[in-house]
Amino acid sequence: MHEQLNFIIEILGTISFSMSGSFAAMQKRLDPFGVLIIAFVTSVGGGTVRDLLLDTPVFWMHDLLMCGLILATSIFSMIFKSIEKNFKVTLFIFDSFGLGLFTIIGVQKGLNLDIHPLICIGLGTITGCFGGIIRDILLNRIPLIFRKEIYASACIIGGSTFLLLTHFTTLSYTFIQIFTILMIVSVRTLAVKYHWQIPKFYGYESNSEM
Amino acid sequence: MHEQLNFIIEILGTISFSMSGSFAAMQKRLDPFGVLIIAFVTSVGGGTVRDLLLDTPVFWMHDLLMCGLILATSIFSMIFKSIEKNFKVTLFIFDSFGLGLFTIIGVQKGLNLDIHPLICIGLGTITGCFGGIIRDILLNRIPLIFRKEIYASACIIGGSTFLLLTHFTTLSYTFIQIFTILMIVSVRTLAVKYHWQIPKFYGYESNSEM
Amino acid sequence: MHEQLNFIIEILGTISFSMSGSFAAMQKRLDPFGVLIIAFVTSVGGGTVRDLLLDTPVFWMHDLLMCGLILATSIFSMIFKSIEKNFKVTLFIFDSFGLGLFTIIGVQKGLNLDIHPLICIGLGTITGCFGGIIRDILLNRIPLIFRKEIYASACIIGGSTFLLLTHFTTLSYTFIQIFTILMIVSVRTLAVKYHWQIPKFYGYESNSEM
């Protein structure tokens, strides 16, 4: 059942990120092949960096289903590009789910390979965030990590909670999985809705060189 | 004979990309060591990412000839920097050949490792394009993938043709190799000459946030 | 004794780069988690790329001490952020030491794996520079490699000297190690103080497209 849940999680995350990449690339007016490349990089970027760091085979290299799914989602997004305007909120929630899903997958993959839990939080954050970071670098956008939205912070908070709950409670693994994914989604969604910000206790002035 | 042809192809591609990197770095007024680094990254970037993804040894790590060749080409470009002005067209064609050569090498390397043909098209595109993408990111230029020129698209078209011809025809391997390389070169050259563009069937307005 | 010296070198380099990353991120007003991520990437970026290229296990993946050290240095930097203003020179020298230390570690690691000495100079340069390059790309700053300071050049000069001395003299290994590290530090420090520049023998005009 575990396996199945993980599988569904990965499918959903891939679709979410593939859509988010496609729309970002269309906004920048790339041609269809360019849109496809950005969709691909956004979907697999985080997991690829994680797998390279862990020295395990890169997850999509033998996975035609995943590649086909990205291709299909990207083409779908190009055809129904109007959905972006009408479903902006839906897409935002989709992207948040991608973030939560991929973060927890990253933490789990590290734990399975006997990496120290603290380092696994880093692996989860990388899996969740790097796809979006690479997308933004390639598209010359303001890097994700800059924006006011709580993004990487949500991964770190969710990943830490996942570890604390698995270590110190007897809750079922599946429950913890779903709970922390929803937690990342909620933290990010609420942060954007209510303009939450992590307090900066160091006090650089606004008019810095940025 | 295969081996020999591949070897010559790799040498020519390396020289082409090393030149293109050197001239881009000189335009940005980097010092000679900086020019050398950019030449190196442009030449080996695509193949390095491909080898990391495939988990095969990185191709230049034990290949002194390749490294020496890049060094020599880069120094040559710095000394005869005037060739850029007088041979702009030659250099463009050189760069297109690099693109074609590296793409087909990437597709072949994937096929040899039993990667699914569709994923091999991706590997070819990565091998052809990533050197230029990393060069542009490091040099703070408008990313390659943005420019109007058909670039990544030429790789995808050429790689697909290569696969179709090897699967469904009985033409000699060497012929298909040369044919698809020339195809990538021609598609790109004609696209630039006649301002071809892949039609965008989704209709974002021009005055987007770009 | 070797081992011990290398260990101390790595600790000092990690602290230096972690500080340099933290201060750069605070200047850009990232939130604390963002500062932590940039500190981490700056410290481990160069060594990570080197280990991926060499196909050896990524050095920090099983090294909790290193990760904890980066975390502690980053938090320390956020709390005592005022030290940046008062100790600007100290921090610059720190960063230069990081550069020297990591470059020599990179060269040594390549030599231990029987990589050709010329390629090891490249590995040393990557180990020294890539952390800072990734930091600048993520923070949207003018890429390191552009700035007038002699940076990558210092690595190449120091790495080459290291190889020449180990091959052609009978000086003790430890002495050569310390000598070349100090050499990289001095070259960079003097270059910044006296506005040294590597002469560009190719003559692009100032008003280029940059």
Side-chain angles (χ1 to χ4, degrees), chain A residues 27 29-30 35 48 64 84, chain B residues 116 200 202 204 208-209:
Chain A
Q27 270 176 3
R29 299 179 55 69
L30 265 63
V35 172
T48 304
L64 196 61
E84 201 204 1
Chain B
H116 189 283
K200 300 186 194 70
Y202 40 86
Y204 274 93
S208 80
E209 50 155 322

Side-chain angles (χ1 to χ4, degrees), chain A residues 23 26-38 41 48 52 55 58 60-64 67 78-79 81 84-85 137-141, chain B residues 52-55 113-116 118-119 123 125-126 133 137 142-143 145-146 152-153 156-157 198-206 208-210:
Chain A
F23 285 117
M26 281 190 276
Q27 270 176 3
K28 289 280 194 175
R29 299 179 55 69
L30 265 63
D31 70 37
F33 286 118
V35 172
L36 191 57
I37 290 172
I38 298 292
V41 167
T48 304
L52 290 177
D55 204 13
V58 174
W60 51 273
M61 198 47 77
H62 292 277
D63 191 345
L64 196 61
C67 295
M78 289 192 250
I79 294 172
K81 66 109 195 166
E84 201 204 1
K85 265 179 199 153
I137 291 174
L138 290 182
L139 286 182
N140 232 8
R141 307 207 304 176
Chain B
L52 290 177
L53 292 175
L54 288 171
D55 204 13
L113 290 165
D114 274 330
I115 305 288
H116 189 283
L118 278 182
I119 298 180
L123 287 172
T125 309
I126 288 171
I133 288 176
I137 291 174
I142 301 166
I145 212 165
F146 253 137
S153 317
I156 297 179
I157 294 166
I198 309 270
K200 300 186 194 70
F201 46 87
Y202 40 86
Y204 274 93
E205 292 85 48
S206 280
S208 80
E209 50 155 322
M210 185 175 151

Side-chain angles (χ1 to χ4, degrees), chain C residues 39-109:
Chain C
F40 196 80
V41 167
T42 312
S43 302
V44 307
T48 303
V49 174
R50 176 202 61 210
D51 288 346
L52 291 177
L53 292 175
L54 288 172
D55 203 13
T56 52
V58 174
F59 71 103
W60 52 272
M61 197 48 77
H62 293 275
D63 190 345
L64 197 61
L65 176 70
M66 203 57 82
C67 296
L69 191 67
I70 297 171
L71 182 65
T73 310
S74 183
I75 291 173
F76 176 88
S77 308
M78 288 192 249
I79 294 172
F80 300 99
K81 67 110 195 165
S82 59
I83 61 171
E84 202 204 1
K85 265 178 199 156
N86 306 323
F87 295 92
K88 222 165 195 171
V89 178
T90 318
L91 281 172
F92 173 80
I93 292 175
F94 247 57
D95 191 65
S96 303
F97 263 96
L99 189 71
L101 301 163
F102 277 23
T103 304
I104 300 305
I105 291 178
V107 174
Q108 287 175 322
K109 199 154 182 179

Side-chain angles (χ1 to χ4, degrees), chain A residues 50-134:
Chain A
R50 176 202 62 211
D51 287 346
L52 290 177
L53 293 175
L54 288 172
D55 204 13
T56 52
V58 174
F59 71 103
W60 51 273
M61 198 47 77
H62 292 277
D63 191 345
L64 196 61
L65 176 70
M66 203 57 82
C67 295
L69 190 67
I70 297 171
L71 181 65
T73 310
S74 183
I75 291 173
F76 176 88
S77 308
M78 289 192 250
I79 294 172
F80 299 100
K81 66 109 195 166
S82 60
I83 61 170
E84 201 204 1
K85 265 179 199 153
N86 306 324
F87 296 92
K88 222 165 195 172
V89 177
T90 319
L91 281 171
F92 173 81
I93 292 175
F94 247 58
D95 190 65
S96 304
F97 263 96
L99 189 71
L101 301 162
F102 277 24
T103 304
I104 299 305
I105 290 177
V107 174
Q108 286 175 322
K109 200 154 181 180
L111 289 174
N112 290 343
L113 289 164
D114 275 329
I115 304 289
H116 189 283
L118 277 182
I119 298 179
C120 290
I121 299 177
L123 287 172
T125 309
I126 288 171
T127 315
C129 296
F130 262 60
I133 289 176
I134 301 174

